[in-house]
Amino acid sequence: MSVTPAMIAVALGQAAPEPGSVTEQQWELWIADAEMLIEDRRAKIGAPAVDAAKLDYVVREAVVAHVKRPDDATQVTIAVDDGSSSRSYRTGKGRVTILDEWWALLGLVEGSGAFSVDQVSASSLHIPWCSYSMGAAYCSCGVDIAGSPIFEGGGDW
């Protein structure tokens, strides 16, 4: 099942837009945008196909959020003579956006977490307990000055 403008209307608690109307066309465009963003991320990280029910949920929620807050206006004030009327809006991104929690639901979270970088190649001349081998910016075994280990038991290595 894929998301339709009628589903968006139900999620919003309103009547579906008339077939062929600008509103229906907008919603169809935004549905396609959300699907494109998800497929692009899936392809970029090389993930398998996404569960259809989860995909529909995320697309529906992303489009509903965009319908509710289509632009980044935060307050509109209309003033006539001595009277004025203001209305505040929650800020939107101005485009269809997939929240981080939805990316996680889809299993499309880009690489994150702890990692380490080995600064010494496997063919290094440094002895394993050399400060340089352990990530320091200096060598404690003498390879940098002699070309082979001369300190810290380097002759026994």
Side-chain angles (χ1 to χ4, degrees):
M1 171 166 63
S2 81
V3 179
T4 64
M7 293 172 140
I8 301 299
V10 169
L12 290 167
Q14 65 185 43
E18 293 293 321
S21 68
V22 173
T23 301
E24 183 189 52
Q25 291 175 25
Q26 268 187 325
W27 291 3
E28 286 175 350
L29 178 69
W30 294 340
I31 290 167
D33 288 350
E35 290 171 345
M36 180 271 307
L37 290 171
I38 293 167
E39 176 56 26
D40 183 58
R41 164 105 35 123
R42 189 205 62 75
K44 185 187 301 181
I45 65 175
V50 176
D51 177 66
K54 291 179 181 179
L55 176 66
D56 287 350
Y57 171 80
V58 170
V59 169
R60 186 177 62 246
E61 291 301 311
V63 173
V64 166
H66 187 61
V67 169
K68 288 180 178 178
R69 296 181 304 275
D71 59 31
D72 58 0
T74 55
Q75 184 173 10
V76 176
T77 302
I78 299 173
V80 178
D81 294 331
D82 292 336
S84 67
S85 174
S86 294
R87 182 158 183 183
S88 297
Y89 297 93
R90 292 179 56 192
T91 302
K93 298 271 188 200
R95 58 186 161 73
V96 175
T97 305
I98 310 295
L99 300 177
D100 291 339
E101 64 196 59
W102 296 337
W103 287 125
L105 175 68
L106 295 171
L108 300 177
V109 179
E110 293 188 88
S112 63
F115 63 91
S116 63
V117 177
D118 185 5
Q119 297 178 345
V120 181
S121 70
S123 63
S124 174
L125 297 174
H126 296 273
I127 55 178
W129 50 89
C130 174
S131 299
Y132 191 75
S133 295
M134 295 183 193
Y138 61 91
C139 169
S140 63
C141 70
V143 168
D144 61 338
I145 59 174
S148 64
I150 56 173
F151 305 121
E152 298 183 349
D156 298 332
W157 177 247

